[in-house]
Amino acid sequence: MSAVNIIIGSQMGSAEYVAEQLGDQLNAQGISTQLHEQPAFNDIDQQNTIWLICTSTYGAGDYPENLISFIDDLTQADDLSNIKYSVIGLGDTSYDTYNLAGRNIDELLAQKGALRVAERLELNILDEALPEDTALAWLDSWLAKTGLN
């Protein structure tokens, strides 16, 4: 397994930027990536790959608009045990729905039998460090857990 499908849920662009930075770093390390800015469940490889879902939370704990049909398809699926995944959530701790979209998709995938390969990374946009810098610093430990490095 040497491919990562980076599934993006972004309303204002922050999650997309983090995903692009991670994709660039993975590519630089010789790991094939594909970014999915308008993810469609049936178009994303489910074999020999890891899904890295990078999503922000929008509004009152909602998924970004570009992720809604993908979530609907996941909800309709019966068995996702062939999928290996990790989630990066971006949020703002000043809201009581902090990182709810990331937490919800993580729980949904686990309930459907998908295999979580690393604990969810939650990024607070209020932190001093830029979200993409924190995600890039986390990437090596993630790679070690996935066996891709």
Side-chain angles (χ1 to χ4, degrees):
M1 181 178 319
S2 60
V4 178
N5 279 280
I6 302 175
I7 299 164
I8 302 167
S10 189
Q11 194 75 28
M12 306 298 276
S14 296
E16 182 177 1
Y17 188 69
V18 169
E20 289 170 351
Q21 296 296 307
L22 290 169
D24 289 347
Q25 183 64 32
L26 289 167
N27 289 334
Q29 295 184 34
I31 298 168
S32 174
T33 63
Q34 185 172 1
L35 293 176
H36 300 274
E37 296 171 15
Q38 296 294 325
F41 178 70
N42 291 326
D43 293 341
I44 301 173
D45 185 10
Q46 298 177 26
Q47 304 292 327
N48 303 314
T49 185
I50 295 175
W51 288 6
L52 181 55
I53 301 162
C54 187
T55 186
S56 60
T57 297
Y58 183 68
D62 301 320
Y63 292 109
E65 289 178 19
N66 73 308
L67 204 58
I68 292 173
S69 65
F70 178 74
I71 296 298
D72 290 343
D73 289 342
L74 288 180
T75 302
Q76 297 300 316
D78 292 324
D79 178 16
L80 299 178
S81 60
N82 57 326
I83 295 172
K84 295 179 180 176
Y85 77 96
S86 293
V87 174
I88 298 174
L90 283 83
D92 179 334
T93 54
S94 68
Y95 291 91
D96 59 357
T97 57
Y98 170 68
N99 259 319
L100 194 56
R103 293 173 185 177
N104 286 343
I105 195 169
D106 193 359
E107 183 178 318
L108 174 62
L109 286 164
Q111 287 175 349
K112 297 289 184 172
L115 175 65
R116 181 186 303 119
V117 295
E119 290 302 311
R120 180 180 58 249
L121 174 64
E122 293 190 351
L123 301 172
N124 178 11
I125 62 165
L126 298 180
D127 284 346
E128 287 184 28
L130 295 172
E132 60 271 17
D133 291 344
T134 303
L136 287 169
W138 165 86
L139 190 60
D140 284 339
S141 67
W142 181 77
L143 284 169
K145 290 175 184 173
T146 64
L148 289 172
N149 61 346

